[in-house]
Amino acid sequence: MTTTKSVMKKLPEVTLAFWIMKIAATTLGETAGDLFAQTLKLGYFLTTIALFLVFVVTLVIQLRSSRYNPFFYWTVILSTSMAGTTMSDFMNRDASSKYLSDGATKLGWGPQGLGLGYPEGAAILVSILLAIFLAWKLSGMTFQITEIVSFRGEALFWAAILVSNTLGTSMGDFLSDSSGLGYLGGAALVTGVLLVLVALMKVPAVPNVLLFWIAFVLTRPLGATAGDFLTKPLAKGGLDLGTVGSSAVLLALLLGLMAYAQLQERRAGTDRPEGPEAEAVIRARAGRR
């Protein structure tokens, strides 16, 4: 595998389709995480361990791939969203009736949760995310995801993704459960902020890389609030569709989008520069930074 191929083909272009798939994956991550931890009563602790192992397996497959494969890439995004859901819940929640439904007194084996609360949990995750970005900055590697050229750069990228999805879950749960906005209100607030970010893309003084990472974090609470709205009981402001049915529909939607992305990738493959031509493109990009 050459560095050129890594740059040109390892990660996706950031388009409207990218953001649609990101929201679909994070919404599914919320409903699937709740399915395992709450509906199947495996608990936050066991589910977090299991889903983190799933994340590791999917990440290894992605890292070993020599080019961008939509199924590999979006499977890792989904696994970080599922693991992030239960990691956030384990950090922020406890075994009180506030978080356990249907008369349950515990979920699964092991600790029921650290009970840190959403503000404290978010502060810890923000600190970890900033530390990752600081290490990334000090490494001298680019934050542009389509220009990541090394194993270390991709590892930093996926570490930031995992923490940002966990942080986004905490933010979404806070908006839905503690802010008084409810599921729809929380989703509306996040959508409004995302629209502001879109408008800021036209402002030359604001780096698009910064806007990308803010949007990447914020699409996770959007998915979290949307997932809760689909699954939570009517009495709590949800549609009460359940985690099983909602996850099945969202999985079918995401698989369809992944298949379409794979088809588009194959069609575009013949138009990409290779070898010396690709290297010239990379140098031109580097000269513009």
Side-chain angles (χ1 to χ4, degrees), residues 19 24 37 41-42 48 50 60 70 136 144 199 209 213 221-222 224 231 233 242 262:
W19 293 113
K41 301 188 184 302
L42 296 178
T48 293
V60 169
W136 197 336
Q144 292 278 7
V209 172
W213 281 106
L222 179 60
T231 61
Q262 184 70 47

Side-chain angles (χ1 to χ4, degrees), residues 156-174:
L156 285 168
F157 169 78
W158 286 113
I161 296 301
L162 178 63
V163 177
S164 68
N165 277 336
T166 307
L167 171 62
T169 302
S170 296
M171 295 171 62
D173 288 341
F174 172 77

Side-chain angles (χ1 to χ4, degrees), residues 24-288:
T26 54
T27 305
L28 175 57
E30 178 73 17
T31 60
D34 288 346
L35 168 63
F36 292 116
Q38 299 178 28
T39 304
L40 299 180
K41 301 188 184 302
L42 296 178
Y44 305 130
F45 182 67
L46 286 180
T47 306
T48 293
I49 293 175
L51 292 179
F52 187 81
L53 292 175
V54 171
F55 160 67
V56 171
V57 172
T58 60
L59 179 59
V60 169
I61 295 173
Q62 165 67 19
L63 292 175
R64 290 178 62 85
S65 174
S66 62
R67 61 178 62 230
Y68 170 57
N69 183 303
F71 282 98
F72 295 166
Y73 177 86
W74 289 106
T75 299
V76 185
I77 294 292
L78 175 59
S79 68
T80 61
S81 298
M82 292 191 297
T85 295
T86 55
M87 289 168 62
S88 170
D89 289 345
F90 178 71
M91 290 178 62
N92 300 325
R93 298 181 177 185
D94 53 39
S96 65
S97 58
K98 178 180 179 181
Y99 299 115
L100 301 181
S101 59
D102 301 326
T105 57
K106 65 178 297 183
L107 290 174
W109 175 85
Q112 300 302 294
L114 300 179
L116 298 177
Y118 297 126
E120 292 81 358
I124 292 172
L125 291 167
V126 167
S127 300
I128 296 173
L129 187 59
L130 289 177
I132 292 172
F133 282 131
L134 177 60
W136 197 336
K137 177 68 173 178
L138 293 176
S139 73
M141 291 180 288
T142 178
F143 287 101
Q144 292 278 7
I145 71 168
T146 54
E147 297 178 17
I148 293 175
V149 299
S150 67
F151 178 88
R152 184 172 58 159
E154 197 174 356
L156 285 168
F157 169 78
W158 286 113
I161 296 301
L162 178 63
V163 177
S164 68
N165 277 336
T166 307
L167 171 62
T169 302
S170 296
M171 295 171 62
D173 288 341
F174 172 77
L175 290 174
S176 298
D177 300 335
S178 304
S179 68
L181 293 174
Y183 306 125
L184 288 180
L189 175 62
V190 176
T191 301
V193 175
L194 289 172
L195 291 175
V196 172
L197 296 179
V198 172
L200 288 175
M201 291 177 62
K202 304 298 182 181
V203 180
V206 182
N208 281 349
V209 172
L210 175 62
L211 295 177
F212 167 83
W213 281 106
I214 295 174
F216 204 97
V217 172
L218 289 179
T219 49
R220 183 63 185 96
L222 179 60
T225 52
D228 285 340
F229 177 65
L230 292 172
T231 61
K232 299 303 181 183
L234 295 174
K236 292 186 176 182
L239 294 179
D240 200 19
L241 299 179
T243 56
V244 177
S246 298
S247 297
V249 172
L250 289 167
L251 178 59
L253 173 63
L254 184 59
L255 287 175
L257 291 171
M258 290 163 67
Y260 177 76
Q262 184 70 47
L263 178 62
Q264 293 295 98
E265 184 67 17
R266 288 179 179 176
R267 289 175 176 174
T270 56
D271 298 328
R272 287 199 182 93
E274 296 284 348
E277 184 182 353
E279 188 174 350
V281 171
I282 296 166
R283 288 176 178 172
R285 286 181 177 179
R288 293 196 297 268

